[in-house]
């Protein structure tokens, strides 16, 4: 693999090539010229996605009390987005260049076209970011692909409340695809037209919403740090009052420092009672909560942590990417937290032409692969096999050598330092469990 560095000018395009070659992320529809704003996840990318989604579920749902899951439809009736305000407010201002005919978001244009520098540009025009579709054989019903998972949660508020008999404070979490017809998708997988969101709508008494806002902000921020994002690369940014979305009382975004600057990877919002009130008004259904303590009915406030799976993966991959020198040669290494790394363990026989080594290595591989995502590799020199695993972030490589045959142990080599130690075969499972947990 060609070595390229984070501070190089064309890092992002080299990184995209690297991630494609390794099987993480592919341009969607590539053999037909590609589809702008859409990406597919390859064998390693999917494993990483699964790991991150599970880690989010663990943090937001399973380690908490009173959080319920919901999986709602991707296509929804126009009425939902009339009520939510998306039809009226979910716009970007678009500027068109009359010479090269490219279109940009207003903030990307400073008096002239960012592509061809022409000053012959349009006034900003409102452009709704939702994908519209026609439903049914007659196509007489308009639907929209959801631009966030949140609305599915609000319109199911009563269903979840009634079926779980939940009491405030409680949350409904959703994880799934969202769609936005972004004017200018960019920065690899940063701004996409189809992406996955992980969202929690946490319902509280209005008087307790500030407390829960801080609770979720701190918790989500720590999640990134605990999983290895470097402190200097992540920060919280308070959104100024005049820039708040139409539904929000307070927003704090979590920003990550990519090569193209600090950018939002997660948003925390106090959505107040805006959505439940609007859906009550538009549907005619009473979505108020009956408080058994005060015997009052009211609309709860909502605290919402929301992030995009692809953006979060991008931040973790970017943060983990490193070039260093080990035993006198340069290597690319992805220093991913073992919990996030797609492959946890690689098993090698020292030599592929020694039957006893191959047999023992294969037997260890067969035992470990049912417990951890494990690969077996016997091709090329042992140094090359280590490098291959370093590049995809595999934290542990186990080698069966001649001493292994006598002592029933293996060498474990650590990805980050190259340090090696011997571990008895019968202790391997416990040893790895301890390291990966
Ligand atoms: N329900 C609130 C909401 O959707 P948002 O700030 O528009 O808020 C939340 O989106 C998160 O979803 C962002 O922080 C980002 O991680 C992700 N996201 C939004 N638009 C995206 C896009 N076009 N491509 C990739 N991820 C996106």
């Amino acid at each position: 693999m060609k070595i390229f560095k984070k501070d190089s000018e064309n890092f992002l395009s080299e990184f995209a090539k690297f991630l494609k070659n390794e099987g993480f992320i592919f341009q969607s529809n590539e053999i037909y010229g590609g589809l702008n704003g859409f990406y597919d996840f390859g064998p390693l990318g999917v494993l990483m996605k699964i790991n991150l989604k599970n880690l989010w579920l663990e943090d937001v749902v399973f380690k908490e009390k009173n959080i319920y899951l919901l999986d709602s439809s991707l296509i929804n009736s126009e009425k939902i987005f009339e009520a939510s305000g998306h039809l009226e407010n979910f716009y970007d201002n678009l500027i068109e260049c009359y010479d090269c005919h490219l279109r940009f978001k207003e903030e990307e244009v400073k008096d002239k076209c960012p592509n061809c520098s022409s000053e012959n540009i349009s006034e900003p025009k409102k452009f709704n970011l939702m994908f519209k579709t026609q439903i049914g054989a007659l196509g007489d019903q308009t639907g929209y692909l959801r631009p966030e998972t949140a609305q599915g949660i609000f319109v199911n508020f009563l269903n979840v409340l009634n079926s779980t008999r939940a009491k405030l404070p409680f949350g409904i979490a959703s994880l799934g695809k969202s769609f936005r017809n972004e004017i200018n998708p960019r920065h690899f997988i940063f701004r996409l037209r189809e992406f996955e969101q992980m969202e929690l709508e946490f319902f509280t008494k209005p008087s307790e919403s500030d407390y829960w806002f801080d609770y979720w902000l701190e918790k989500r921020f720590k999640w990134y740090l605990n999983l290895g994002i470097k402190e200097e690369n992540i920060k919280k940014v308070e959104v100024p009052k005049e820039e708040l979305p139409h539904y929000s009382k307070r927003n704090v975004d979590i920003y990550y420092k990519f090569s193209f600057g600090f950018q939002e990877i997660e948003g925390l919002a106090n959505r107040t009672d805006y959505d439940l009130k609007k859906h009550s008004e538009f549907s005619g259904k009473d979505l108020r909560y009956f408080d058994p303590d005060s015997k009052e009915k009211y609309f709860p406030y909502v605290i919402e942590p929301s992030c995009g799976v692809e953006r979060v993966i991008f931040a973790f991959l970017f943060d983990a990417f490193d070039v260093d020198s080990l035993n006198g040669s340069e290597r690319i290494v992805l220093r991913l937290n073992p919990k996030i790394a797609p492959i946890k363990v690689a098993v090698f026989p020292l030599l592929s032409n020694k039957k006893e080594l191959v047999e023992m290595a294969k037997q260890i591989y067969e035992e470990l692969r049912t417990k951890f995502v494990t690969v077996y590799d016997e091709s090329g020199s042992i140094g090359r096999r280590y490098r291959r695993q370093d590049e995809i972030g595999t934290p542990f490589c186990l080698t069966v050598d001649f001493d292994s045959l006598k002592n029933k142990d293996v060498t474990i080599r650590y990805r980050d330092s190259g340090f090696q130690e011997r571990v008895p075969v019968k202790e391997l499972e416990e040893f790895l469990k301890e390291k990966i947990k």
Side-chain angles (χ1 to χ4, degrees):
M1 175 57 63
K2 183 178 137 210
I3 303 277
F4 60 102
K5 299 204 171 148
K6 242 182 191 165
D7 53 8
S8 65
E9 217 175 279
N10 58 350
F11 174 78
L12 221 50
S13 60
E14 290 293 333
F15 197 39
K17 267 189 239 159
F18 166 80
L19 292 171
K20 175 188 166 182
N21 287 341
E22 300 289 1
F24 281 91
I25 299 166
F26 309 135
Q27 174 69 63
S28 176
N29 294 234
E30 188 185 357
I31 62 167
Y32 291 103
L35 198 55
N36 196 9
F38 297 85
Y39 280 89
D40 298 335
F41 277 65
L44 297 184
V46 176
L47 287 171
M48 210 176 147
K49 254 192 176 183
I50 292 171
N51 294 341
L52 273 165
K53 289 196 258 187
N54 283 337
L55 287 161
W56 181 86
L57 284 170
E58 194 181 282
D59 189 52
V60 170
V61 182
F62 300 127
K63 285 197 173 159
E64 286 288 318
K65 284 190 222 152
N66 293 339
I67 311 281
Y68 303 93
L69 281 161
L70 180 80
D71 185 12
S72 65
S73 55
L74 306 188
I75 295 178
N76 295 282
S77 112
E78 191 162 35
K79 293 194 183 98
I80 287 190
F81 301 113
E82 244 172 67
S84 68
H86 281 86
L87 277 180
E88 204 186 321
N89 299 308
F90 199 58
Y91 283 97
D92 267 348
N93 284 332
L94 171 155
I95 292 185
E96 182 176 356
C97 171
Y98 292 130
D99 287 332
C100 71
H101 299 292
L102 290 186
R103 290 163 174 214
F104 302 92
K105 285 173 91 167
E106 190 181 14
E107 8 354 331
E108 291 165 351
V109 179
K110 298 207 173 36
D111 305 326
K112 50 184 163 187
C113 170
N115 180 51
C116 71
S117 302
S118 162
E119 288 176 16
N120 189 15
I121 55 177
S122 72
E123 286 300 307
K125 284 179 246 170
K126 280 180 150 194
F127 177 76
N128 195 296
L129 298 179
M130 283 194 295
F131 283 101
K132 199 172 184 176
T133 188
Q134 298 310 121
I135 301 171
L138 294 175
D140 55 354
Q141 201 190 348
T142 299
Y144 289 89
L145 272 73
R146 65 181 184 191
E148 58 172 7
T149 69
Q151 296 309 319
I153 295 179
F154 298 127
V155 299
N156 277 291
F157 175 72
L158 274 191
N159 287 333
V160 176
L161 186 65
N162 292 340
S163 56
T164 60
R165 289 178 288 281
K167 301 227 171 5
L168 289 184
F170 73 93
I172 306 178
S174 243
L175 200 159
K177 291 266 183 176
S178 291
F179 304 84
R180 296 184 188 179
N181 197 6
E182 297 284 356
I183 295 171
N184 198 3
R186 58 193 299 189
H187 298 318
F188 185 38
I189 56 166
F190 180 78
R191 195 192 296 155
L192 298 168
R193 289 181 165 136
E194 176 180 336
F195 53 99
E196 278 191 88
Q197 281 189 314
M198 306 193 280
E199 297 198 293
L200 168 70
E201 307 303 321
F202 190 77
F203 300 92
T204 83
K205 289 183 181 175
S207 59
E208 292 176 1
S209 70
D210 292 341
Y211 167 83
W212 286 110
F213 187 97
D214 293 339
Y215 174 87
W216 282 106
L217 176 59
E218 288 316 309
K219 190 172 162 67
R220 292 300 303 144
F221 195 71
K222 274 199 201 125
W223 185 77
Y224 292 98
L225 293 175
N226 290 342
L227 289 173
I229 293 280
K230 294 177 201 80
E231 235 172 309
E232 63 273 22
N233 292 341
I234 189 165
K235 64 179 182 184
K236 299 172 200 151
V237 177
E238 183 88 39
V239 178
K241 281 259 172 303
E242 60 281 9
E243 287 173 28
L244 287 176
H246 59 278
Y247 49 75
S248 175
K249 174 184 161 195
R250 184 181 175 205
N251 263 50
V252 174
D253 292 332
I254 298 177
Y255 274 49
Y256 178 76
K257 191 178 175 190
F258 292 99
S259 51
F260 43 93
F262 266 107
Q263 298 284 341
E264 176 192 330
I265 53 172
E266 173 153 354
L268 270 290
N270 182 339
R271 292 182 79 124
T272 65
D273 54 6
Y274 178 89
D275 301 270
L276 289 180
K277 255 187 183 159
K278 283 280 177 192
H279 286 299
S280 265
E281 191 185 315
F282 278 72
S283 67
K285 299 278 184 306
D286 184 359
L287 302 185
R288 285 175 304 168
Y289 169 80
F290 174 74
D291 190 323
D293 303 324
S294 67
K295 311 277 184 255
E296 281 173 336
K297 267 186 146 187
Y298 55 86
F299 290 105
Y301 268 34
V302 177
I303 305 304
E304 175 195 68
S306 164
C307 61
V309 178
E310 293 81 357
R311 260 191 212 180
V312 170
I313 286 192
F314 192 10
F316 277 106
L317 283 170
F318 188 88
D319 214 64
F321 181 88
D322 196 14
V323 173
D324 70 0
S325 176
L326 197 67
N327 307 327
S329 69
E330 270 198 322
R331 63 166 183 166
I332 288 177
V333 52
L334 282 188
R335 301 185 191 280
L336 291 168
N337 182 306
K339 290 182 188 169
I340 299 176
I343 310 279
K344 312 295 184 199
V345 189
V347 183
F348 313 144
L350 181 64
L351 300 169
S352 60
N353 56 2
K354 292 285 171 229
K355 197 166 155 252
E356 313 89 289
L357 299 185
V358 169
E359 266 172 16
M360 184 170 169
K362 281 192 173 163
Q363 198 182 345
I364 291 172
Y365 163 70
E366 284 301 330
E367 273 159 29
L368 290 181
R369 72 181 184 83
T370 57
K371 323 269 173 358
F372 312 95
V373 180
T374 306
V375 292
Y376 172 83
D377 188 4
E378 58 176 35
S379 67
S381 72
I382 198 81
R384 283 202 43 199
R385 284 181 257 164
Y386 283 148
R387 293 290 180 275
R388 272 203 290 270
Q389 297 304 321
D390 291 343
E391 282 167 11
I392 61 169
T394 308
F396 307 105
C397 291
L398 316 189
T399 303
V400 173
D401 56 19
F402 292 103
D403 286 342
S404 307
L405 301 175
K406 278 187 282 167
N407 303 335
K408 303 278 173 275
D409 64 4
V410 294
T411 305
I412 292 206
R413 179 222 184 235
Y414 292 78
R415 173 198 67 203
D416 292 343
S417 59
F419 173 74
Q420 302 190 6
E421 65 178 313
R422 297 199 77 91
V423 175
V425 172
K426 62 176 184 327
E427 289 171 22
L428 272 177
E429 190 183 329
E430 270 316 297
F431 180 92
L432 290 167
K433 249 192 210 153
E434 194 55 34
K435 297 278 181 204
I436 294 167
K437 81 166 189 244

